[in-house]
Amino acid sequence: MWYVIYARDNENSLAARTAARPAHLARLQALRDEGRLLLAGPLPAIDAEDPGAAGFSGSLIVAGFTSLAAAQAWAEADPYRAAGVYRGVDVRPFRKVLP
């Protein structure tokens, strides 16, 4: 089943986000390689493709897991979580309808 992982960044987390990004992307790449990643990306803090120093307000990931507990465990182990980038993470089941 698909699950939405919606994470909200702490204020002034851009430096920590940048430092932890390679490890974060490696985990997403593993999901993609397993055919379990529907989409993933950051939420710019301002209305711009590249927010520069404004940074990001969070992240959105939609990925396949065997259960809600498995999705939550994966989200809790995210390098951004360990680096203090995220102040909160919500994980919810998702049913893709379109496209």
Side-chain angles (χ1 to χ4, degrees):
M1 178 167 194
W2 295 113
Y3 292 88
V4 170
I5 300 170
Y6 172 65
R8 293 164 317 284
D9 282 17
N10 281 306
E11 289 190 32
N12 302 312
S13 62
L14 185 56
R17 179 182 267 274
T18 301
R21 188 169 190 261
H24 172 78
L25 292 179
R27 292 180 83 230
L28 292 172
Q29 182 68 41
L31 285 178
R32 191 187 81 143
D33 291 349
E34 295 167 6
R36 297 173 43 208
L37 184 64
L38 185 62
L39 64 89
L43 306 172
I46 60 173
D47 188 13
E49 181 74 22
D50 179 357
F56 300 90
S57 63
S59 298
L60 179 71
I61 299 165
V62 180
F65 294 92
T66 57
S67 67
L68 178 58
Q72 289 169 329
W74 188 92
E76 283 301 315
D78 192 296
Y80 281 173
R81 190 80 160 146
V85 173
Y86 295 153
R87 66 177 164 91
V89 178
D90 293 322
V91 181
R92 298 177 186 259
F94 176 75
R95 194 177 94 195
K96 183 178 182 238
V97 175
L98 295 171

